[in-house]
Amino acid sequence: MFNLPIGLRTKVAILSLFLLCLPWLGYQYVWEMEKYLRHGQEKTLEGTTQALATALHERPKLFDSQASFLTQVQQGRDLYAYPLSGPIQLDGKLADWAPYRHKSINYGDNHQIFKADPDAPLSVNFTHMVGKYAGYLYGFFEVTDPNVVYRGKNTLNIDRNDHLAIATLAPDGKFRRYIVATTKDGWISAFELPEDPALSTPVTPEIKIQGKWKKTEQGYNVELRIPLEMVGSKLGFAIYDVNDSKTGELEAIVGTSAIDDVNKLGTVLVPSPEIESIIKGMSHNSSRIWVVDKHGRVLAKSGDIRTSNSVWTRTVKEPTNPGFWEQFKQKYLHPLYYRILTTPPKDFIDSLQDSTVLGGSHIKQALSGKQGSTWRLTPDNKAVILAAASPIWIDDKVMGAVISEETTHGIRTLRNKALEKLFNVIITIMSMGTLALFFFASSISSRIRKLRDEAEEAIDSQGRIKQHIKGSKVRDEIGDLSRSFANIVGRLGQYTHYLENMSSRLSHELRTPVAVVRSSLEHLGLQSLDPDSRKYVDRAQEGVSRLNMILNNMSEATRLEESLSKAELDTFPLSKVISGCVQGYQLTYPNKEFITEISDEDLMMTGVPEYIAQLMDKLIANALEFSLENTQISVSLSAKNRLAQLSIRNLGPELPENMAEQIFESMVSVRQQKAQEKPHLGLGLYIARLVTDFHHGKIIAKNLPVDENDKSITGVEIRVSLPLN
């Protein structure tokens, strides 16, 4: 992380993790807020149903005295007039009933009222339903009858043929019966029978009952409508099957109920227009209101839960003319947000849209006298619907319930908007925090890198102090570290300077006493001494000579450094200098074989040829000292990538481990600690490095690869790279 120290990186990581917890906490807060909003919506919806139920309390006239007060509802006998979305075209084809056919009931063996031959199979059945639109009760009868018998054109009898019988307890309290019989396909003929059920004549034409009779392959269809003002709370239909028009013998009667007695009739429940007018105002809200009787049958309905015109969504509408920020959010941020969020769908499957009977735990609870609410998912799992129910009381009895339904789209939209704002704030804060941390970490990193660079540049590869570190004035931990480094480098520089000058000082201070001892020994050597004394004088002179050689070696490096600082550079052919040196070595060391491979090119370079010769002297001296007897010393010189590659190889002992770089330091030697003819202070390769550095080159030492045929043969190669012109 920005090349920070491990401890500082850990602290920054912990701080970053803590900052990442803030978005998570905000996200959890919004989800908790949504839970409370849902709870509030639930209580609000319960209050709505309670208020509407209060408007319906103790108003028995709003509830049909027969249909709503039934103790038990018998399907097929007790009819329900389904609300129709539009008027039915009376053509006998039944096409307009297609959306409602799943609500129809088939009447057959279980609904037979009379059969002439009990052992014979029932030959007639029909499918039927009724619906309500405007001021009419619509109905259809899809009759299966293999032998359709029409009414004779010249007969006055209307019951000696196949016909439809209708009976109702009219709103005026009278029992009325009607027969629908026709002489041919087309518009039906309806007749009213006498009030006395024992009489079938005389009949009176009833033009208010309109419809069509149409013959089919299976039998015939009857499609009709009756004004609601003619229909009371009780209603029954029956199909009379007559196979012989001459005898008029009745084969069977199948119907919703017997129609010869008012007490045998079933009830018909027609949605109440009075209740619909009371709850109509709720259609302007996003709620859907149902009013059901105590059997769960729908008495009225208002509103649509698919509408988006709710108080929740109205409060979060986007501005009509968004600015740059709004356009940026809509184009770039929202597609990213809604990979996580879910947009409330504009359309979903509403399984209760056309329901005529409602059920559920909340309705059961309301019909038991208590408020109830429940949540449910739509069949396509796209929407969550909240439903609340409150009981309707009449004479201390629950006669129905008010149900209110809403989706959670508004709350989900509000939640999404809250999360959008939260994400916007998080992105803004995180961006600013990231930038602040970046600049903060970059500042710390740059200061640490600067301190690192100063520390690396203060000491060269040989451990010598090249420059001092300037301590920082900033009062923090890095500033303290910088000042500590500056103090350490300063003290180390003083100590290094003392060590570097110690050899020259020792050499200077020891030369005078050595000269005194030498002159004294020379005068003493001129005297006539006995053999024993002469032996000690010779040994003393030998020791003084060795001591003088040590002093010369110690001062050689110092003199070379001083001369290098004052040397005048010249351009010379490196190949000729190396060749001349090698020729001199062959004459100086006739017992040693030198193998040369020197480039024929001049290899011009800038420097001091005398120092290059001194470099060769030190490298050859080192190779001679460590080479085995009867082995060769290889000297090669070539050019590659504007660099001269000088290589000196000798066979002999390998370099100790981790000593390939240290042998070029001052006062470092890898010779075994034993008596030597000449003193060695480890300055030869050090001087070679000084000359190489002066010419901006590099010097390295490495062991030669092991010979696969004879692993006992080892050696060392010293390679010098010098820049060419």
Side-chain angles (χ1 to χ4, degrees):
M1 184 183 294
F2 310 115
N3 296 324
L4 294 179
I6 294 177
L8 189 58
R9 278 186 290 177
T10 303
K11 294 179 181 178
V12 173
I14 293 174
L15 178 61
S16 302
L17 290 176
F18 175 74
L19 291 176
L20 288 176
C21 290
L22 296 179
W24 181 81
L25 292 174
Y27 188 77
Q28 293 298 319
Y29 174 78
V30 172
W31 278 107
E32 289 297 323
M33 180 192 70
E34 182 185 7
K35 292 180 182 178
Y36 284 107
L37 288 176
R38 288 194 177 193
H39 181 71
Q41 184 184 18
E42 183 176 352
K43 294 303 178 184
T44 301
L45 208 59
E46 288 180 356
T48 300
T49 59
Q50 188 174 12
L52 288 173
T54 302
L56 301 176
H57 286 337
E58 306 302 335
R59 300 178 67 177
K61 292 183 180 180
L62 298 177
F63 295 84
D64 188 280
S65 59
Q66 297 290 337
S68 296
F69 286 75
L70 283 176
T71 304
Q72 186 176 2
V73 174
Q74 182 178 347
Q75 188 179 16
R77 180 176 181 272
D78 297 302
L79 305 177
Y80 180 84
Y82 295 92
L84 303 176
S85 59
I88 298 296
Q89 183 179 358
L90 302 176
D91 55 8
K93 297 180 181 180
L94 310 183
D96 293 344
W97 294 95
Y100 316 102
R101 289 296 294 264
H102 63 283
K103 304 178 187 299
S104 61
I105 300 176
N106 183 263
Y107 294 81
D109 290 333
N110 295 330
H111 302 85
Q112 63 181 6
I113 299 170
F114 168 80
K115 189 164 64 170
D117 185 359
D119 297 329
L122 186 65
S123 60
V124 64
N125 63 79
F126 66 92
T127 300
H128 161 69
M129 72 170 288
V130 292
K132 173 233 174 184
Y133 181 78
Y136 291 95
L137 182 72
Y138 291 85
F140 81 86
F141 301 84
E142 187 177 18
V143 183
T144 300
D145 185 357
N147 185 18
V148 180
V149 177
Y150 291 96
R151 180 169 64 90
K153 294 182 179 180
N154 299 321
T155 180
L156 297 177
N157 295 320
I158 60 173
D159 57 353
R160 299 174 67 87
N161 48 268
D162 293 336
H163 61 273
L164 166 66
I166 306 171
T168 181
L169 181 62
D172 58 4
K174 294 182 180 181
F175 179 53
R176 299 186 186 278
R177 299 177 299 149
Y178 305 93
I179 284 181
V180 175
T182 182
T183 59
K184 61 179 181 178
D185 286 356
W187 290 102
I188 62 174
S189 300
F191 305 91
E192 182 179 357
L193 296 175
E195 186 175 353
D196 185 357
L199 302 176
S200 60
T201 57
V203 296
T204 305
E206 180 55 71
I207 61 174
K208 292 182 179 179
I209 300 177
Q210 300 174 341
K212 279 286 187 73
W213 182 300
K214 181 178 178 59
K215 189 174 181 181
T216 64
E217 294 181 359
Q218 292 79 21
Y220 58 91
N221 295 337
V222 178
E223 196 171 27
L224 56 77
R225 72 178 183 182
I226 306 173
L228 286 175
E229 60 189 24
M230 296 176 58
V231 180
S233 60
K234 287 193 172 186
L235 181 66
F237 298 96
I239 294 293
Y240 284 69
D241 181 27
V242 177
N243 290 335
D244 191 346
S245 61
K246 295 181 180 179
T247 62
E249 185 177 348
L250 186 64
E251 292 292 330
I253 302 175
V254 179
T256 61
S257 63
I259 62 170
D260 57 348
D261 188 350
V262 67
N263 295 320
K264 295 180 181 178
L265 294 179
T267 62
V268 58
L269 183 64
V270 179
S272 171
E274 293 84 359
I275 298 178
E276 285 187 352
S277 65
I278 294 175
I279 66 173
K280 188 176 180 180
M282 295 303 296
S283 63
H284 300 290
N285 201 345
S286 60
S287 301
R288 180 170 63 191
I289 306 298
W290 306 82
V291 178
V292 300
D293 65 3
K294 64 180 181 180
H295 304 294
R297 296 181 296 181
V298 177
L299 299 177
K301 169 191 162 186
S302 177
D304 185 5
I305 59 174
R306 287 193 176 95
T307 180
S308 61
N309 187 27
S310 67
V311 66
W312 305 96
T313 54
R314 288 197 299 269
T315 58
V316 293
K317 288 185 177 179
E318 295 291 340
T320 54
N321 295 319
F324 171 77
W325 173 242
E326 293 296 331
Q327 292 179 358
F328 178 78
K329 288 194 299 182
Q330 292 290 336
K331 189 174 182 180
Y332 298 104
L333 296 183
H334 285 183
L336 178 63
Y337 295 163
Y338 282 92
R339 290 179 178 270
I340 303 174
L341 305 178
T342 55
T343 304
K346 295 181 180 180
D347 192 17
F348 53 88
I349 297 175
D350 182 13
S351 58
L352 300 183
Q353 177 68 28
D354 299 319
S355 295
T356 56
V357 179
L358 299 181
S361 60
H362 58 302
I363 297 178
K364 290 181 180 178
Q365 196 169 352
L367 294 178
S368 67
K370 300 178 182 179
Q371 281 190 326
S373 61
T374 184
W375 300 82
R376 75 173 188 272
L377 272 173
T378 56
D380 54 2
N381 295 330
K382 289 184 178 181
V384 178
I385 298 177
L386 167 64
S390 293
I392 300 173
W393 295 89
I394 297 177
D395 295 333
D396 296 330
K397 292 183 180 180
V398 177
M399 297 307 300
V402 176
I403 300 100
S404 181
E405 295 179 325
E406 281 185 359
T407 65
T408 59
H409 286 2
I411 290 180
R412 290 172 64 184
T413 302
L414 187 62
R415 177 205 67 191
N416 289 348
K417 295 299 178 183
L419 287 174
E420 287 176 16
K421 292 184 178 180
L422 175 65
F423 291 159
N424 292 337
V425 172
I426 288 173
I427 289 177
T428 302
I429 293 177
M430 294 296 288
S431 299
M432 295 175 62
T434 301
L435 288 175
L437 286 175
F438 175 78
F439 287 118
F440 172 71
S442 298
S443 175
I444 293 177
S445 178
S446 63
R447 292 175 62 193
I448 293 176
R449 285 198 300 268
K450 181 180 178 182
L451 181 58
R452 179 203 62 192
D453 295 340
E454 289 180 349
E456 290 180 350
E457 293 175 359
I459 302 176
D460 61 11
S461 59
Q462 288 74 40
R464 304 174 67 181
I465 304 298
K466 295 191 297 183
Q467 62 184 30
H468 291 280
I469 297 177
K470 186 178 180 181
S472 175
K473 296 181 180 180
V474 180
R475 297 297 178 180
D476 59 6
E477 290 81 356
I478 299 178
D480 291 340
L481 181 62
S482 175
R483 290 187 290 273
S484 297
F485 274 18
N487 187 20
I488 292 172
V489 171
R491 288 183 291 174
L492 184 59
Q494 294 176 0
Y495 182 68
T496 305
H497 181 70
Y498 166 76
L499 293 179
E500 290 175 347
N501 294 330
M502 183 178 66
S503 62
S504 61
R505 290 177 181 177
L506 285 176
S507 175
H508 177 72
E509 294 298 332
L510 291 177
R511 286 191 180 278
T512 301
V514 168
V516 172
V517 172
R518 172 177 288 180
S519 62
S520 299
L521 289 175
E522 289 177 352
H523 285 88
L524 187 60
L526 297 175
Q527 303 293 327
S528 59
L529 300 174
D530 58 85
D532 292 336
S533 299
R534 175 63 62 180
K535 181 177 62 174
Y536 289 112
V537 170
D538 293 339
R539 291 180 60 186
Q541 288 180 342
E542 183 181 352
V544 170
S545 299
R546 290 173 62 88
L547 183 59
N548 187 60
M549 185 179 295
I550 291 173
L551 294 177
N552 290 333
N553 290 337
M554 290 176 61
S555 60
E556 182 181 8
T558 303
R559 292 194 305 271
L560 179 62
E561 291 179 357
E562 294 176 355
S563 61
L564 287 175
S565 62
K566 301 176 183 179
E568 295 182 1
L569 302 180
D570 191 12
T571 301
F572 62 93
L574 179 61
S575 299
K576 293 183 178 181
V577 174
I578 300 300
S579 299
C581 291
V582 173
Q583 291 175 6
Y585 302 144
Q586 290 176 340
L587 296 175
T588 305
Y589 307 102
N591 297 327
K592 200 67 174 178
E593 182 181 359
F594 291 88
I595 299 176
T596 60
E597 187 178 348
I598 300 175
S599 175
D600 296 333
E601 299 180 11
D602 290 340
L603 303 182
M604 303 300 293
M605 67 171 291
T606 300
V608 180
E610 291 79 6
Y611 294 156
I612 296 297
Q614 191 173 2
L615 167 67
M616 285 294 297
D617 292 343
K618 299 302 180 183
L619 297 180
I620 293 298
N622 181 79
L624 289 170
E625 185 173 354
F626 286 96
S627 64
L628 300 176
E629 293 183 3
N630 301 323
T631 59
Q632 303 166 341
I633 294 178
S634 299
V635 179
S636 65
L637 177 65
S638 62
K640 183 179 181 181
N641 298 329
R642 305 296 300 172
L643 288 175
Q645 303 289 345
L646 175 63
S647 174
I648 311 294
R649 297 185 181 186
N650 67 274
L651 299 180
E654 291 184 325
L655 289 172
E657 189 176 358
N658 300 325
M659 289 296 293
E661 295 183 1
Q662 296 183 24
I663 60 173
F664 298 104
E665 303 295 331
S666 176
M667 310 293 285
V668 174
S669 177
V670 296
R671 296 170 179 85
Q672 296 181 358
Q673 299 296 325
K674 62 181 182 178
Q676 299 175 350
E677 296 180 358
K678 295 190 298 182
H680 293 280
L681 300 180
L683 295 174
L685 294 181
Y686 172 67
I687 292 173
R689 184 183 62 79
L690 291 178
V691 175
T692 303
D693 292 344
F694 172 76
H695 290 87
H696 307 290
K698 290 184 179 180
I699 183 170
I700 60 173
K702 63 179 182 180
N703 293 320
L704 294 175
V706 178
D707 191 344
E708 295 295 334
N709 297 325
D710 188 356
K711 295 185 178 181
S712 62
I713 299 177
T714 58
V716 175
E717 176 187 11
I718 296 181
R719 177 170 294 183
V720 180
S721 299
L722 297 172
L724 297 174
N725 293 341

